[in-house]
Amino acid sequence: MPIASTIILALALGISAMLLLHRCSEQSTIQLLPGIGVVAATAVIHTLLFWLGQFVGSMLSFQSEEDPTRYTDVNSYIFLGLTAIVVLKMLAPYLRREPRLPVFDLTQHLAVLAMAVSTGTNVLLIGVGVGFVGSSSPIALLVATLVLGTLGLMFGRQKVELRPRRWMIIASVLLLGVAIAAVINA
């Protein structure tokens, strides 16, 4: 997977984490230092789930010993399908008039763990798709989630207004762009 695709993928997943942490920190009264710990824990769990998904995807990908490029188009279509499922799952709540999005209490450790794992399922599925088309470094995802998650946390604590629908549409377009590029390059 090209480095540009890796960075774009990390930015899209980081935007998703930013919106989640903004929404949760608006409702919760958490101090900055424990909040950064929450962001770091979320980033590490998302990175581990991405790496696990990438490992599983590489084990499940179609390969041929005679011709290594025989199934690249099939693998890229699987990546496109998994990405489309994740995009629909991420974007659907934001398209309602009154979105009902989950809010987690950031002051409780079990709630933070549940938040990281439940939102990490999207990251896991994207990782499985990436495993089908090649390999990607999870370091970009870790950095993007740390930086954008911290911004979301700080904006939420300050009650700064974000336009979550627009940000989620941007993240969805970025994810679909990477998947379509993988299909074109196959």
Side-chain angles (χ1 to χ4, degrees):
M1 183 169 234
I3 190 71
S5 295
T6 301
I7 292 170
I8 292 171
L9 196 69
L11 282 174
L13 294 172
I15 288 171
S16 176
M18 177 183 74
L19 293 175
L20 170 73
L21 289 164
H22 177 269
R23 186 174 60 242
C24 293
S25 64
E26 259 185 341
Q27 303 295 325
S28 173
T29 56
I30 189 167
Q31 294 180 351
L32 185 60
L33 195 58
I36 291 175
V38 167
V39 172
T42 303
V44 167
I45 290 172
H46 281 189
T47 304
L48 289 174
L49 287 172
F50 181 80
W51 179 79
L52 177 67
Q54 189 174 342
F55 178 73
V56 169
S58 68
M59 291 294 144
L60 295 175
S61 66
F62 297 104
Q63 298 173 355
S64 172
E65 290 181 12
E66 296 108 23
D67 185 15
T69 61
R70 178 182 289 175
Y71 297 113
T72 55
D73 56 343
V74 173
N75 289 333
S76 63
Y77 282 124
I78 292 171
F79 176 47
L80 178 63
L82 286 172
T83 303
I85 289 170
V86 169
V87 164
L88 287 174
K89 184 180 165 193
M90 285 173 34
L91 192 59
Y94 288 95
L95 296 179
R96 296 182 186 157
R97 282 188 195 261
E98 295 294 325
R100 286 178 262 135
L101 300 164
V103 177
F104 298 91
D105 184 13
L106 297 181
T107 59
Q108 296 180 357
H109 298 299
L110 288 177
V112 170
L113 181 64
M115 174 190 72
V117 172
S118 67
T119 59
T121 56
N122 293 336
V123 178
L124 178 74
L125 288 174
I126 292 292
V128 169
V130 168
F132 271 93
V133 295
S135 65
S136 173
S137 173
I139 300 300
L141 175 65
L142 179 69
V143 171
T145 305
L146 279 172
V147 171
L148 292 172
T150 304
L151 279 175
L153 177 83
M154 289 192 292
F155 287 158
R157 288 181 67 237
Q158 297 287 325
K159 308 286 193 256
V160 174
E161 180 66 29
L162 290 180
R163 298 187 184 264
R165 184 174 294 153
R166 288 184 186 173
W167 281 105
M168 189 51 74
I169 289 173
I170 290 170
S172 300
V173 168
L174 290 175
L175 283 173
L176 283 176
V178 169
I180 291 170
V183 169
I184 291 172
N185 292 335

